[in-house]
């Protein structure tokens, strides 16, 4: 959230500078401008483009789950916090090329009911495009995304509860119900 505000502020400053620089020349016919005026018009146009791209890009190219949950983006930090707090942990291994990962992010993890249920978990979102996360592929034996795994407070993985595809809010909440009730098998995978 703070990164979004920072990028918004930077893009607005760039747009204001572009406006201030280009205001005197923006509507003037380029033929009527001297070299300095043409350069000002060019720079103002470029700044407008950069500012607009930054402002729009933060919404179009966002990564990681959004919403009110505080997602940790480092697996090892998530495990350390889990050991410290004794809470269960959910790990969402995702990548920008994974359609089901994006659907989980936007259609499931950010719903109010799911966020409320996950508030008692340490929630970790690991970008599998990052080299530091390569160790997870072999350590947990998965080869496709999404991979949403649940870890008991003692750190043991709940293999039968691992999600390997898209689930809507209702199915995901049922998965959590069965997981928390200790049901041995979670359906819908």
């Amino acid at each position: 959230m703070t990164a979004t505000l920072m990028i918004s502020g930077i893009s607005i400053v760039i747009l204001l500078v572009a406006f201030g620089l280009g205001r005197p020349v923006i509507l003037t016919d380029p033929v009527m401008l001297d070299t300095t005026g043409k350069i000002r018009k060019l720079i103002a146009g470029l700044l407008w483009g950069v500012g607009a791209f930054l402002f729009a890009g933060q919404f179009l190219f966002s990564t990681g789950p959004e919403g009110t949950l505080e997602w940790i983006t480092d697996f090892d930090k998530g495990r350390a916090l889990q050991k410290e707090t004794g809470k269960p942990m959910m790990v969402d291994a995702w990548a920008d090329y994974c359609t089901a990962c994006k659907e989980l992010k936007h259609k499931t993890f950010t719903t109010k009911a799911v966020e409320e249920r996950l508030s008692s978990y340490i929630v970790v979102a690991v970008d599998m495009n990052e080299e530091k996360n390569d160790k997870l592929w072999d350590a947990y034996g998965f080869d496709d995304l999404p991979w949403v795994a649940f870890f008991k407070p003692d750190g043991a993985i709940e293999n039968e509860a691992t999600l390997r595809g898209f689930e809507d809010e209702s199915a995901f909440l049922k998965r959590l119900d069965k997981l928390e009730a200790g049901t041995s098998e979670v359906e819908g995978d």
Side-chain angles (χ1 to χ4, degrees):
M1 183 66 165
T2 57
T4 302
L5 291 175
M6 185 175 72
I7 292 171
S8 293
I10 291 170
S11 61
I12 288 170
V13 167
I14 290 173
L15 289 170
L16 288 173
V17 168
F19 179 74
L21 184 66
R23 190 174 55 115
V25 295
I26 211 73
L27 297 176
T28 307
D29 185 4
V31 175
M32 304 298 289
L33 294 173
D34 61 0
T35 304
T36 305
K38 289 178 183 176
I39 291 172
R40 285 179 70 165
K41 189 169 187 170
L42 175 67
I43 292 172
L46 290 172
L47 287 174
W48 270 105
V50 169
F53 178 78
L54 281 176
F55 191 76
Q58 67 186 324
F59 302 108
L60 297 174
F61 307 113
S62 64
T63 60
E66 295 150 359
T68 60
L69 288 175
E70 188 172 328
W71 289 83
I72 297 168
T73 57
D74 183 282
F75 181 80
D76 293 330
K77 287 181 183 176
R79 288 297 292 244
L81 186 59
Q82 182 189 29
K83 287 178 184 176
E84 182 182 310
T85 63
K87 288 183 171 184
M89 179 172 75
M90 184 190 85
V91 176
D92 172 27
W94 65 277
D96 56 2
Y97 59 81
C98 172
T99 303
C101 299
K102 292 176 186 178
E103 289 177 335
L104 280 169
K105 171 187 167 186
H106 294 292
K107 297 179 181 178
T108 305
F109 295 151
T110 56
T111 65
K112 186 175 181 172
V114 170
E115 283 190 336
E116 285 176 6
R117 290 290 296 281
L118 290 179
S119 66
S120 62
Y121 288 75
I122 304 296
V123 287
V124 180
V126 290
D127 182 353
M128 296 308 291
N129 290 316
E130 294 182 8
E131 195 172 312
K132 71 177 183 175
N133 295 321
D134 284 349
K135 63 185 177 191
L136 298 176
W137 294 107
D138 293 328
Y140 295 101
F142 65 98
D143 58 3
D144 201 8
L145 298 174
W147 181 78
V148 180
F150 297 89
F151 292 81
K152 297 176 184 177
D154 66 4
I157 190 169
E158 296 268 11
N159 283 315
E160 67 281 351
T162 301
L163 173 61
R164 298 178 187 272
F166 172 74
E167 276 186 342
D168 64 12
E169 174 187 17
S170 175
F172 189 77
L173 290 171
K174 286 178 186 172
R175 177 178 297 274
L176 290 176
D177 288 340
K178 290 179 180 183
L179 174 68
E180 292 166 3
T183 306
S184 61
E185 286 204 24
V186 179
E187 299 172 10
D189 221 5

